[in-house]
Amino acid sequence: MKVLITGFDPFGGEKINPAWEAVKKLPEKIDDIEVIKVQIPTVFKKSANELFAAIDRVNPDVVICVGQAGGRFDISIERVGINIEDGRIPDNEGYQPIDTKIFEDGENAYFTSLPIKAMVHDMQNEGIPASVSNTAGTYVCNHLMYSLLYYLDKKGLTNVRGGFIHVPFIPEQVIDKKNTPYMSLDVIAKGLEIGIKSIFNHKVDKTITGGKEF
Ligand code: PCA
């Protein structure tokens, strides 16, 4: 069994990206699951193209993309990617789309095929704050999540499960910020490891609430 897990490079003036830092900390093997790590640039089109190349090369059973969500309190497992890009700030190559489609021939949205309720449940069970998120935003993370699910669908890779996890800032990133939530890198990495195990332990998701009013 193989999991391809990606993390973005730093963006928006940050020196590090906790997503990539946490991915780097993962072991090379979790039980009998081989863990293949790839860094992805925070650049709209390039991020997806590099992910597609990695999927073709690695032939994974599961693909998890991880990104920073500065301002969020917990590890959030994304439910859906939407066919829109609207950049609050330019990407790392200066591109700032406003209300453009990611793929003209794609659905309006794709739902993740990861067992997100089980993943949240298992993380919480081990004392790690986690929740289901119903929006991955409209920046490069949503672009990558949408593109991943579009690619798996268009290529007919129905056995490959894919999705996206957003992680909070780590402590060193919030020293110069006021009232900003953070989580330690070790806790984030442990959360990702639990999430990976959970995916391989759950072919079908649990039917438990993960709902939010907003
Ligand atoms: N987070 C950004 C893009 C790269 C990253 O780590 C996002 O949430 O869109």
Side-chain angles (χ1 to χ4, degrees):
M1 288 297 178
K2 276 190 254 179
V3 58
L4 169 64
I5 184 159
T6 72
F8 281 103
D9 65 359
F11 71 101
E14 296 294 326
K15 287 190 190 68
I16 55 121
N17 190 321
W20 175 240
E21 297 303 317
V23 166
K24 268 197 301 192
K25 270 184 109 63
L26 291 172
E28 308 299 319
K29 271 206 131 187
I30 298 173
D31 301 332
D32 58 349
I33 307 155
E34 207 186 318
V35 180
I36 296 107
K37 311 164 192 178
V38 174
Q39 195 190 39
I40 296 284
T42 303
V43 176
F44 279 95
K45 274 212 165 22
K46 200 181 270 183
S47 64
N49 287 338
E50 294 198 7
L51 179 67
F52 298 163
I55 293 171
D56 292 349
R57 190 171 67 240
V58 171
N59 195 19
D61 300 284
V62 168
V63 184
I64 308 169
C65 301
V66 187
Q68 164 190 300
R72 284 197 187 167
F73 287 82
D74 60 5
I75 297 183
S76 41
I77 323 288
E78 299 296 344
R79 192 195 291 265
V80 62
I82 59 177
N83 194 6
I84 196 86
E85 43 191 24
D86 187 3
R88 181 182 61 82
I89 52 172
D91 68 17
N92 283 353
E93 289 187 356
Y95 177 59
Q96 186 173 12
I98 298 177
D99 296 350
T100 50
K101 281 193 169 193
I102 298 171
F103 284 105
E104 281 296 336
D105 65 341
E107 302 289 340
N108 283 331
Y110 293 101
F111 289 112
T112 184
S113 42
L114 299 183
I116 55 176
K117 303 292 183 70
M119 293 164 76
V120 167
H121 176 265
D122 290 351
M123 287 184 203
Q124 289 178 346
N125 243 6
E126 301 220 28
I128 296 179
S131 65
V132 169
S133 162
N134 298 299
T135 176
T138 56
Y139 193 49
V140 183
C141 287
N142 173 71
H143 182 102
L144 189 64
M145 178 179 186
Y146 179 88
S147 300
L148 163 63
L149 299 171
Y150 167 92
Y151 193 71
L152 297 180
D153 184 53
K154 292 285 178 199
K155 278 235 157 180
L157 296 170
T158 46
N159 291 329
V160 182
R161 289 184 291 166
F164 198 97
I165 299 178
H166 261 124
V167 302
F169 283 136
I170 58 174
E172 66 193 79
Q173 293 180 281
V174 301
I175 289 165
D176 59 351
K177 299 179 179 79
K178 269 201 163 174
N179 296 323
T180 306
Y182 59 86
M183 187 179 272
S184 87
L185 186 56
D186 284 343
V187 172
I188 296 174
K190 182 158 176 246
L192 295 181
E193 186 169 343
I194 294 166
I196 290 170
K197 285 188 192 169
S198 185
I199 295 165
F200 286 91
N201 286 335
H202 295 90
K203 282 272 161 263
V204 178
D205 203 358
K206 280 179 180 295
T207 307
I208 48 175
T209 182
K212 288 176 181 167
E213 280 75 40
F214 51 84

